Amino acid sequence: MDPSQVEVLHTQNALHKLTVSDLREFIRLKAIQAPSNAKKVELIASVSEFLASEESIETLAQESNTVAVAEEEVPAKDTRTASKNRAGSQVDDTEGSVAAVGRKSRKRGAGAAKDREASGVVLAGEDAQDAVSPQRRSTRSRKDSLSRPAEEPPALSKANEVGEENGRPKRARRQSTGSPETAKKPPPLKRKPKTGVLSLTQAQSTVEVTEVQSDVVDGALVEKKRTKKTTVARGFGLKGDVGKVEISQSEESWSHLVHKKAEPDWIAYNPGLMRPPPPKGPFKKVVGWNVAGLRAVLKLERRWFDEIAEKERPDVICLQETKIQEKDIASVEEGLLPGYHKFWATSSAKLGYSGVALFSKEEPLSVRYGLGIPSLDAEGRLITAEFADFFVVSAYVPNSGDGLKRLEERTQVWDPALAQHLKGLEASKPVVLTGDLNVAHQEIDICNPDGNKRSAGFTVEERESFERLIMANGFVDTFRRQHPKAVGYTYWGYRFNSRASNRGWRLDYFVVSEKLAPLVHDSYTLPNVLGSDHCPVGLIVKT
């Protein structure tokens, strides 16, 4: 016998294919200790222990002078799982017959079948009519658990052996050990409907990320570029109904690029990889966040609010959609960020609606509220704080609403008034505007641009108004200037599990005066911060 064949018998569990007579004959020839009335599983355990002993494979091959060949041939397609033996040889295909170990003579027919029945084990490939009764199967299973070696797997039928199919591992099915009447059928597979399910395909790419940092040296603008390579997940292709996505959620779902019209050079914004270290000189840090109800965040998600204050340590915090009423300010302020000066703009037109706030470590030189438009100012949408180096404006721009019922008011009243307000401030010193500006400026700023052309926040009217009145008036979108090809969403709707699949919008901004742009060290998002359907955004400005 070829040494590798003996090893294959052991490693591939082929001992189960032998009859009780074969096993007893081998045990007798090799003087293996085994009970005289042992069942087949016990005999197999004894032979397995012997084959795993220190006795060499070569010695076994020399002493196995008489080898009987099984009558049944194993189809090649069912035995293509290769395994390495201890002697180092590779078994590529165990096609053909399986050798029985150490038997001088072989009995076939009714005698062999009787031995199999007495052993209480159904061999792989046996017909269902030879299966043992449920009572004997129960007894056998108890003995099997006691006598089977820990490393020996249970026998699998030839058709169910674990292999590979189409490049994926085949699922091994449990072997039936009962009659057709008593055998328990596996539950039917629950298949997900093909319609209405979003399919995602991802590719890993190594890209070069170029960070541009600007500084003013001796009155001249100096730009420093730093290029580094990083591996990012990109190239997600979306198919099907985006309203019914079913994918597993990861802790960093935002690090995967998900976009229906992604360009080849777009990447997902990852603050863990793309934020520069803090500047060496003095700077101010401003953080903005639409909390979608401050009292709810403080009650249910307080840890996220405290984490921003502890880890980011911002000089100024701007909040939007606080939904705080005037009568509740005192109770909310109690124990909240001690050491900060706090300013609130609340809604008197509709209670528990809108509202913005501004917290600052340094007391502002001046604070003003609103735009001078009574109908909009009554909703508490804007606070302006003046500091020594620049103004900080916390704004919650009106949403055009369902059916775009406020679209005209938004583009014809609010936007022009905001642009005029910013230009007036800029006449004395630079301006930093932050908040939920309720517009995805470009297609890169929204996951599904084609499907949202008439959705509030991505209409042509809103985008053109934002471009004409804000961007074209000498203001800079700091995140887009620093990361021109990065997809970094800041809002994910609660419906359809959008955050888990990173199908979002970039609605939260830091917009600054052009003269202040060279001093911007970093403009970033914090997508890992939960607690709201928006994530915080941050800005670091050298002073």
Side-chain angles (χ1 to χ4, degrees):
M1 174 184 291
D2 180 45
S4 63
Q5 286 183 285
V6 179
E7 185 66 5
V8 168
L9 286 175
H10 180 50
T11 58
Q12 293 190 346
N13 208 19
L15 293 178
H16 286 274
K17 300 179 184 295
L18 305 179
T19 65
V20 173
S21 298
D22 294 336
L23 294 168
R24 287 176 178 168
E25 183 68 17
F26 179 74
I27 289 174
R28 186 185 65 80
L29 292 174
K30 303 302 298 179
I32 302 173
Q33 293 183 357
S36 58
N37 60 344
K39 298 297 184 182
K40 182 174 181 178
V41 290
E42 298 169 330
L43 297 176
I44 291 174
S46 299
V47 173
S48 296
E49 291 176 2
F50 176 78
L51 292 175
S53 67
E54 295 180 356
E55 189 169 356
S56 66
I57 300 298
E58 290 78 5
T59 303
L60 289 175
Q62 293 174 2
E63 294 184 0
S64 302
N65 297 322
T66 57
V67 179
V69 178
E71 293 177 352
E72 299 176 356
E73 288 191 352
V74 182
K77 63 181 180 180
D78 292 332
T79 58
R80 288 179 181 171
T81 53
S83 63
K84 291 184 178 179
N85 57 36
R86 296 188 188 94
S89 61
Q90 179 74 25
V91 181
D92 295 324
D93 197 346
T94 57
E95 178 180 4
S97 59
V98 178
V101 182
R103 183 173 181 269
K104 292 182 179 180
S105 61
R106 189 176 187 86
K107 295 181 181 180
R108 275 299 183 190
K114 185 176 181 181
D115 287 335
R116 289 195 297 270
E117 183 176 358
S119 69
V121 177
V122 178
L123 299 182
E126 289 286 343
D127 293 335
Q129 62 186 3
D130 293 329
V132 296
S133 65
Q135 293 83 0
R136 182 172 295 177
R137 185 169 67 251
S138 175
T139 303
R140 184 215 66 187
S141 62
R142 289 195 296 271
K143 292 182 179 180
D144 184 81
S145 63
L146 295 175
S147 61
R148 187 185 300 275
E151 70 275 9
E152 182 181 346
L156 297 174
S157 65
K158 298 173 187 177
N160 295 331
E161 288 183 311
V162 178
E164 290 189 356
E165 181 175 286
N166 297 330
R168 297 178 297 178
K170 293 196 300 184
R171 182 177 298 174
R173 296 190 296 273
R174 183 176 298 176
Q175 177 184 341
S176 174
T177 56
S179 63
E181 292 79 9
T182 60
K184 185 178 180 180
K185 296 182 179 180
L189 294 177
K190 295 181 179 181
R191 299 185 180 276
K192 296 179 180 179
K194 293 183 178 180
T195 58
V197 177
L198 181 63
S199 172
L200 299 181
T201 57
Q202 178 187 7
Q204 292 286 339
S205 301
T206 300
V207 299
E208 289 187 352
V209 178
T210 301
E211 298 175 349
V212 181
Q213 298 183 22
S214 302
D215 202 350
V216 176
V217 179
D218 297 330
L221 176 62
V222 178
E223 289 189 348
K224 298 180 181 179
K225 295 184 179 181
R226 183 178 65 174
T227 302
K228 61 181 180 180
K229 291 185 177 181
T230 182
T231 300
V232 296
R234 70 176 209 172
F236 269 112
L238 280 70
K239 300 178 182 179
D241 182 3
V242 297
K244 298 181 180 179
V245 60
E246 295 182 16
I247 65 173
S248 60
Q249 181 176 3
S250 68
E251 294 181 357
E252 296 185 351
S253 58
W254 41 264
S255 65
H256 303 304
L257 174 59
V258 182
H259 198 286
K260 274 219 163 187
K261 297 178 66 176
E263 298 290 338
D265 56 347
W266 289 3
I267 60 174
Y269 176 73
N270 188 333
L273 300 174
M274 301 169 69
R275 286 190 64 181
K280 296 180 179 180
F283 63 89
K284 282 189 179 294
K285 181 184 290 188
V286 185
V287 169
W289 190 17
N290 180 323
V291 292
L294 180 58
R295 298 185 70 177
V297 170
L298 296 178
K299 183 178 181 179
L300 303 176
E301 303 287 354
R302 178 64 179 260
R303 63 190 182 99
W304 297 113
F305 192 87
D306 292 340
E307 181 175 304
I308 294 174
E310 293 172 4
K311 289 188 176 181
E312 293 296 319
R313 297 185 178 183
D315 297 287
V316 181
I317 300 176
C318 298
L319 305 179
Q320 300 86 43
E321 201 175 359
T322 59
K323 299 182 180 180
I324 298 294
Q325 299 182 34
E326 185 73 27
K327 64 181 182 65
D328 296 324
I329 291 178
S331 61
V332 172
E333 281 188 340
E334 185 176 356
L336 178 64
L337 297 181
Y340 281 82
H341 301 275
K342 304 176 182 69
F343 306 93
W344 306 84
T346 61
S347 172
S348 58
K350 184 178 179 182
L351 301 182
Y353 173 75
S354 187
V356 295
L358 188 147
F359 306 154
S360 174
K361 289 183 178 179
E362 175 188 344
E363 185 174 5
L365 300 177
S366 65
V367 177
R368 67 186 81 172
Y369 302 88
L371 292 173
I373 303 175
S375 60
L376 291 175
D377 292 346
E379 294 180 355
R381 293 187 174 273
L382 192 130
I383 294 179
T384 302
E386 180 184 3
F387 297 94
D389 300 310
F390 46 75
F391 290 96
V392 175
V393 179
S394 177
Y396 180 39
V397 175
N399 190 301
S400 295
D402 294 336
L404 303 177
K405 57 185 178 182
R406 297 191 71 175
L407 177 61
E408 184 176 351
E409 181 184 29
R410 154 73 185 272
T411 58
Q412 302 300 320
V413 179
W414 172 273
D415 284 353
L418 177 61
Q420 183 177 359
H421 177 68
L422 297 179
K423 292 299 290 184
L425 297 174
E426 198 177 33
S428 58
K429 61 181 65 175
V431 178
V432 174
L433 167 67
T434 184
D436 178 2
L437 304 189
N438 259 317
V439 61
H441 182 207
Q442 301 171 342
E443 289 193 345
I444 194 175
D445 298 318
I446 182 172
C447 173
N448 183 18
D450 288 344
N452 288 283
K453 290 183 176 179
R454 294 307 295 168
S455 297
F458 195 66
T459 62
V460 174
E461 295 90 335
E462 291 166 308
R463 294 165 62 197
E464 288 182 348
S465 177
F466 182 77
E467 177 70 33
R468 179 178 65 255
L469 299 173
I470 308 297
M471 307 306 298
N473 271 326
F475 290 91
V476 175
D477 177 356
T478 57
F479 180 87
R480 186 54 62 216
R481 173 167 290 193
Q482 183 177 349
H483 306 287
K485 302 297 182 181
V487 176
Y489 304 129
T490 65
Y491 164 79
W492 303 264
Y494 286 125
R495 296 190 300 171
F496 312 127
N497 206 24
S498 297
R499 193 157 192 163
S501 56
N502 196 31
R503 293 178 298 111
W505 303 49
R506 189 170 76 96
L507 300 178
D508 304 83
Y509 295 75
F510 271 99
V511 175
V512 303
S513 302
E514 180 70 49
K515 63 181 71 174
L516 192 62
L519 297 177
V520 172
H521 176 74
D522 190 18
S523 182
Y524 58 95
T525 70
L526 297 172
N528 57 309
V529 176
L530 306 180
S532 169
D533 50 0
H534 292 251
C535 77
V537 293
L539 183 76
I540 297 177
V541 180
K542 299 174 185 178
T543 56

